Amino acid sequence: MQFGRTTLSKFVIEQTRGQHSEMGALLIDVAAAVKTISALVGKGALSGFSGALDSTNVQGEVQKKLDVLTNEAILRHCEWGGQLAGMASEEMDEPYRIPDQYPRGRYLLIFDPLDGSSNSDVNVSVGTIFSILQRSEAGEAEPGDFLQSGHQQIAAGYAIYGPATMLVLSVGNGTHGFTLDRESGNFQLTHPDIKVPEDTREFAINTSNERFWEPPVQRYVDECKAGKTGVRSADFNMRWIASMVAEVHRILMRGGIFMYPKDNKDPAKPGRLRLMYEANPMAMLITQAGGVASTGRERILDVPPETLHQRVPVLLGSKSEVERVERYHQEYD
Ligand code: AFP
């Protein structure tokens, strides 16, 4: 089927025709930024950009050179098109103001330019996560415009820079996967209408935090580890890649449950992952694929944002397992 595959551009133009056609052009610019980032991270140590800077981001995390470079790549690819009222990123304390020489639109692009970047120096898959919201009219975004719940997302997606570079996207009509054909430079539709298997025997959690978990999470993981000898009467497998994009991608491909729960390691932090540019976009993709995304006590997409960089507990993946953990939280509370 040499010429029969759908490209991302064709898909996006067809899916956004009409009310959101301008967003279609924005998504094509995001895909162009992803290609730039793919080429950069694909060079590994040859890029000359390995290692850390002596700067920290708003999270207080040491910034990698690639964090800053990939952030710049997205800003440059997307600021000029006239679709955006503003942008926000994990790597920027405040929202980015569209330069005056460019027209402004009504969309808001929020992103984590290089998720899993602590893995970039050890050649493990990393990714870019993005979310698109809109404001009522075109113009300069106010900080408050970004604080919309996950249900308000018009589109969400991620790129995964693995053996293949893929872009997984939802515009509210299912979740679809595209693979970068490096010869043509096109993203080709390879995984239309992805569905998360409702059941799974695979869980992902950083068990080094076990002593800090709340009892319902402890109960769930203990039962998985007990396998056939315990109440689940089935053996489980465990994965932890420490790159959320890679975990979510695996779950979209074959099912599973990913957990970064609330823990009392740092009581000031209600979780590690950020609501606006990690949890919300991933929750849209998982939900559109028939999975569930929860804090354990409420669905991620319902969480009302209070601050741009707020953190939230995340449990997401196969419906039956996430709902089991939610039930354990209800029984505990
Ligand atoms: P970095 O972007 O700092 O590497 O963090 C990645 C991440 O936000 C998410 O992608 C992983 O699931 C999670 O952190 C890994 O956290 P631990 O390092 O505590 O396992």
Side-chain angles (χ1 to χ4, degrees):
M1 189 173 42
Q2 179 61 28
F3 305 109
R5 282 195 186 279
T6 298
T7 62
L8 177 73
S9 302
K10 180 174 183 291
F11 178 89
V12 157
I13 288 165
E14 287 174 344
Q15 290 280 326
T16 60
R17 185 170 286 139
Q19 183 192 5
H20 289 299
S21 57
E22 275 196 20
M23 185 184 67
L26 171 60
L27 286 169
I28 290 166
D29 288 342
V30 170
V34 162
K35 290 179 200 173
T36 297
I37 295 170
S38 174
L40 190 60
V41 299
K43 290 184 173 68
L46 298 174
S47 71
F49 297 116
S50 306
L53 297 166
D54 53 13
S55 60
T56 58
N57 63 16
V58 65
Q59 330 290 341
E61 293 163 348
V62 172
Q63 283 184 302
K64 298 271 190 183
K65 291 171 188 166
L66 281 176
D67 284 327
V68 174
L69 269 175
T70 53
N71 193 66
E72 282 297 306
I74 295 173
L75 296 179
R76 296 295 84 78
H77 276 284
C78 298
E79 64 184 350
W80 61 274
Q83 303 93 8
L84 288 172
M87 291 189 255
S89 157
E90 180 190 46
E91 300 307 327
M92 300 185 296
D93 298 4
E94 300 301 328
Y96 178 77
R97 186 175 178 281
I98 302 300
D100 289 335
Q101 69 261 36
Y102 299 128
R104 291 185 173 87
R106 71 178 194 271
Y107 294 103
L108 302 163
L109 179 65
I110 311 167
F111 57 92
D112 179 356
L114 198 63
D115 181 69
S117 59
S118 60
N119 287 309
S120 52
D121 291 351
V122 296
N123 202 25
V124 169
S125 295
V126 293
T128 297
I129 311 173
F130 64 91
S131 169
I132 297 179
L133 297 166
Q134 65 178 345
R135 65 196 298 268
S136 54
E137 58 189 22
E140 184 169 337
E142 304 286 334
D145 291 336
F146 292 88
L147 302 182
Q148 300 178 44
S149 76
H151 282 299
Q152 307 302 315
Q153 293 176 105
I154 312 290
Y158 64 78
I160 178 167
Y161 310 109
T165 286
M166 287 188 68
L167 196 151
V168 175
L169 171 70
S170 177
V171 295
N173 184 18
T175 296
H176 311 277
F178 301 81
T179 301
L180 180 59
D181 174 354
R182 296 189 191 283
E183 287 178 4
S184 67
N186 288 328
F187 276 106
Q188 304 282 12
L189 178 63
T190 50
H191 298 72
D193 203 20
I194 298 170
K195 293 296 177 201
V196 180
E198 184 160 333
D199 298 307
T200 183
R201 291 289 176 268
E202 193 162 68
F203 70 97
I205 194 166
N206 181 342
T207 49
S208 70
N209 297 324
E210 186 161 12
R211 65 187 185 282
F212 303 115
W213 297 339
E214 291 189 283
V217 173
Q218 188 68 61
R219 173 184 172 190
Y220 177 78
V221 173
D222 285 348
E223 289 176 356
C224 290
K225 292 195 296 186
K228 284 196 173 68
T229 67
V231 297
R232 300 302 308 272
S233 306
D235 288 340
F236 280 70
N237 193 18
M238 198 200 91
R239 286 283 182 273
W240 190 251
I241 307 175
S243 180
M244 184 187 196
V245 171
E247 315 271 12
V248 170
H249 191 70
R250 183 189 62 248
I251 288 169
L252 283 169
M253 294 297 104
R254 70 185 194 206
I257 177 170
F258 167 87
M259 294 172 279
Y260 215 112
K262 176 176 183 303
D263 63 40
N264 57 32
K265 187 174 188 179
D266 179 350
K269 287 184 183 173
R272 173 184 166 97
L273 302 174
R274 277 70 58 154
L275 175 63
M276 297 308 294
Y277 40 81
E278 289 176 331
N280 269 344
M282 292 310 201
M284 179 171 180
L285 293 165
I286 287 286
T287 305
Q288 285 284 325
V292 171
S294 173
T295 65
R297 293 181 168 90
E298 67 181 308
R299 297 295 162 92
I300 296 279
L301 296 176
D302 295 331
V303 175
E306 290 161 15
T307 60
L308 185 60
H309 299 288
Q310 83 180 59
R311 298 172 189 266
V312 70
V314 177
L315 312 169
L316 61 77
S318 294
K319 185 173 186 291
S320 63
E321 292 301 306
V322 178
E323 288 181 344
R324 174 184 289 265
V325 185
E326 287 182 317
R327 198 165 57 247
Y328 290 3
H329 279 80
Q330 286 152 15
E331 289 167 9
Y332 170 69
D333 293 344

